[in-house]
Amino acid sequence: LVMVFYGSNGKSNPVSMENKVEHQAKNQITHDIHLPSDLGMIYKVRLGLQSLENNISQLSLCHCKMQNTSTLDTFSLTINKTLPLSLNGDRWIEFPVEWPLIEALSVVTYHLTVFSRNILSERNLVHMSACIYGTHGDTGDRSLLWSLQNVQQGEDNESFLVIVDAVELGELDKVVLLISSKTDCKLDIKKLHLKEAVKDHPIYVFEVNEAFSVDANKTEIQREIPVSFVIRGDKQKNDIDNNLYRERSQARNLTEYTIKVYTGDKRGAGTDANVHIILFGNEDKSEIFQLSQSLEHQDPFERGKVDTFKIKTKKLGSLHSIEIGHDGKGFASGWFLEKVEITDVSRNSVYCFNCNR
């Protein structure tokens, strides 16, 4: 049995109940656990089974009481649920923590509809789970292929419904998919729709449109899918929200590059001219960037100095070349450029372009 605690300052790692028994009364076990001090006010708890190695068919949980041994703050959870320990079953249950004078979150049933092309035919060999993120935390990894409802199959498309119970997540932000298989296969996923079961709207739409090549001998595939747009009952609010999500999506797709420019240590090497740069990768090229705001020096490109600049642009892939130059402004604007080093922050890749002229 493991527990995950969510607080106003973050969440804990799974806390194992293994080998922490103080004493055991009939149908009651007490554990000592240690949480990070920075969780803040705990607002929800997730309980589950991390491993199914033991051949237990069911685990009935009735009540949980937790006390901070320093402050003596105490909260109780009435559970009265049996964890579904089938091999592919959802092994997690979540509960809000109720504190005096503070409104607790509620448990919500979410409907996640998966639109795909060939998952149903491969479902017995494939493991697929999703972690849903919102402003109130996440659901943890939940299995998607253990209990399917509203299954619909056509010649080239299919869809099925997965039901997830979780403490309310607030505004949804992204879904992280985890996919693995016992055999090599290709899974074609088109999109995901996510909404609360008791409401028609809002429907959060996650566009995937990807065929995943799953290798049985490699680690599971992990893919983060941000919200593409939201369908709401109110058209005006729809338009405002969807513009916001588009802007967020564009911001997510930008890549940050750190550019270090080395001016040579020779007489007359520096320049006061305006320097520009263009980056070329195997996927795309950047726009023209003016290198004017050095992180080190107010007056960049002086003799023997290194100037660092940060830019954000679309994903370029692996860099293979750059164009760098200046506008010739100022007296004796000639510039001796030693080299340029560029770091792709997202990949942690460093590219060196030597010039020495």
Side-chain angles (χ1 to χ4, degrees):
L1 184 68
V2 293
M3 300 175 78
V4 180
F5 298 89
Y6 287 74
S8 53
N9 296 335
K11 71 174 183 177
S12 73
N13 290 324
V15 179
S16 174
M17 302 292 107
E18 190 179 41
N19 300 327
K20 295 184 184 295
V21 178
E22 273 187 359
H23 65 269
Q24 183 167 349
K26 186 178 181 181
N27 296 330
Q28 180 179 315
I29 306 174
T30 304
H31 304 265
D32 262 346
I33 61 174
H34 299 276
L35 297 180
S37 58
D38 60 354
L39 285 183
M41 178 71 77
I42 294 174
Y43 66 88
K44 87 167 178 177
V45 179
R46 184 186 310 131
L47 299 96
L49 285 154
Q50 203 163 33
S51 169
L52 292 180
E53 290 174 4
N54 295 330
N55 220 355
I56 308 170
S57 58
Q58 289 181 325
L59 178 61
S60 295
L61 301 170
C62 301
H63 196 77
C64 172
K65 180 179 177 181
M66 181 170 171
Q67 184 176 63
N68 184 322
T69 55
S70 301
T71 65
L72 300 185
D73 287 341
T74 305
F75 68 80
S76 298
L77 301 170
T78 300
I79 301 172
N80 291 331
K81 284 201 173 183
T82 299
L83 277 171
L85 303 187
S86 63
L87 185 60
N88 296 314
D90 189 354
R91 305 198 299 272
W92 297 95
I93 48 178
E94 291 191 357
F95 296 93
V97 173
E98 297 182 10
W99 294 103
L101 305 178
I102 298 176
E103 187 177 357
L105 299 172
S106 56
V107 177
V108 172
T109 298
Y110 288 96
H111 280 183
L112 174 63
T113 304
V114 179
F115 297 85
S116 55
R117 196 176 67 81
N118 62 340
I119 289 180
L120 293 173
S121 59
E122 305 281 356
R123 60 176 291 197
N124 293 327
L125 298 169
V126 170
H127 176 73
M128 191 164 95
S129 63
C131 182
I132 307 163
Y133 288 80
T135 51
H136 300 328
D138 60 77
T139 60
D141 296 335
R142 303 296 188 93
S143 176
L144 297 185
L145 300 177
W146 66 281
S147 179
L148 310 185
Q149 302 189 31
N150 293 4
V151 175
Q152 298 182 27
Q153 281 185 283
E155 279 189 24
D156 199 39
N157 55 71
E158 62 189 23
S159 65
F160 55 88
L161 173 66
V162 181
I163 296 175
V164 177
D165 289 328
V167 172
E168 60 180 295
L169 294 166
E171 282 285 318
L172 302 185
D173 176 49
K174 64 181 179 182
V175 171
V176 174
L177 291 177
L178 294 168
I179 305 169
S180 60
S181 176
K182 297 176 183 177
T183 182
D184 295 352
C185 63
K186 184 169 281 192
L187 300 180
D188 195 340
I189 304 176
K190 300 181 184 301
K191 61 182 176 177
L192 312 173
H193 282 190
L194 188 58
K195 73 179 190 72
E196 293 185 26
V198 296
K199 297 179 182 178
D200 291 332
H201 298 96
I203 301 172
Y204 293 83
V205 180
F206 301 83
E207 297 279 2
V208 184
N209 294 321
E210 186 171 348
F212 297 90
S213 296
V214 189
D215 189 330
N217 297 317
K218 292 187 179 178
T219 56
E220 63 187 357
I221 294 172
Q222 179 174 318
R223 190 73 82 249
E224 182 177 304
I225 315 294
V227 173
S228 301
F229 58 92
V230 183
I231 302 170
R232 300 186 189 269
D234 184 338
K235 184 181 184 305
Q236 184 178 6
K237 189 158 177 46
N238 254 357
D239 294 340
I240 294 171
D241 282 350
N242 292 341
N243 286 335
L244 181 63
Y245 281 111
R246 270 192 288 272
E247 288 170 9
R248 284 183 188 169
S249 179
Q250 288 168 359
R252 282 191 189 96
N253 289 330
L254 293 180
T255 298
E256 182 178 297
Y257 294 91
T258 301
I259 301 173
K260 286 193 171 188
V261 180
Y262 293 74
T263 299
D265 192 5
K266 292 176 178 281
R267 185 181 175 191
T271 186
D272 291 326
N274 298 306
V275 175
H276 72 267
I277 192 169
I278 305 173
L279 280 55
F280 295 84
N282 61 356
E283 294 179 18
D284 211 334
K285 75 171 186 176
S286 75
E287 59 269 47
I288 298 175
F289 286 96
Q290 298 297 326
L291 300 180
S292 54
Q293 301 292 322
S294 170
L295 298 182
E296 288 91 359
H297 310 111
Q298 190 170 358
D299 191 10
F301 313 119
E302 293 298 297
R303 174 179 174 176
K305 301 293 185 184
V306 180
D307 293 284
T308 304
F309 306 86
K310 287 186 180 294
I311 65 168
K312 284 187 176 180
T313 186
K314 55 198 165 185
K315 292 179 181 176
L316 306 176
S318 298
L319 300 185
H320 57 73
S321 58
I322 61 172
E323 176 187 307
I324 189 164
H326 63 75
D327 60 0
K329 180 183 175 184
F331 174 72
S333 61
W335 177 38
F336 191 91
L337 173 62
E338 185 179 311
K339 65 178 178 179
V340 178
E341 283 182 359
I342 301 178
T343 302
D344 181 337
V345 176
S346 64
R347 297 181 175 202
N348 201 25
S349 302
V350 181
Y351 303 87
C352 186
F353 300 93
N354 292 306
C355 181
N356 290 315
R357 55 180 168 155

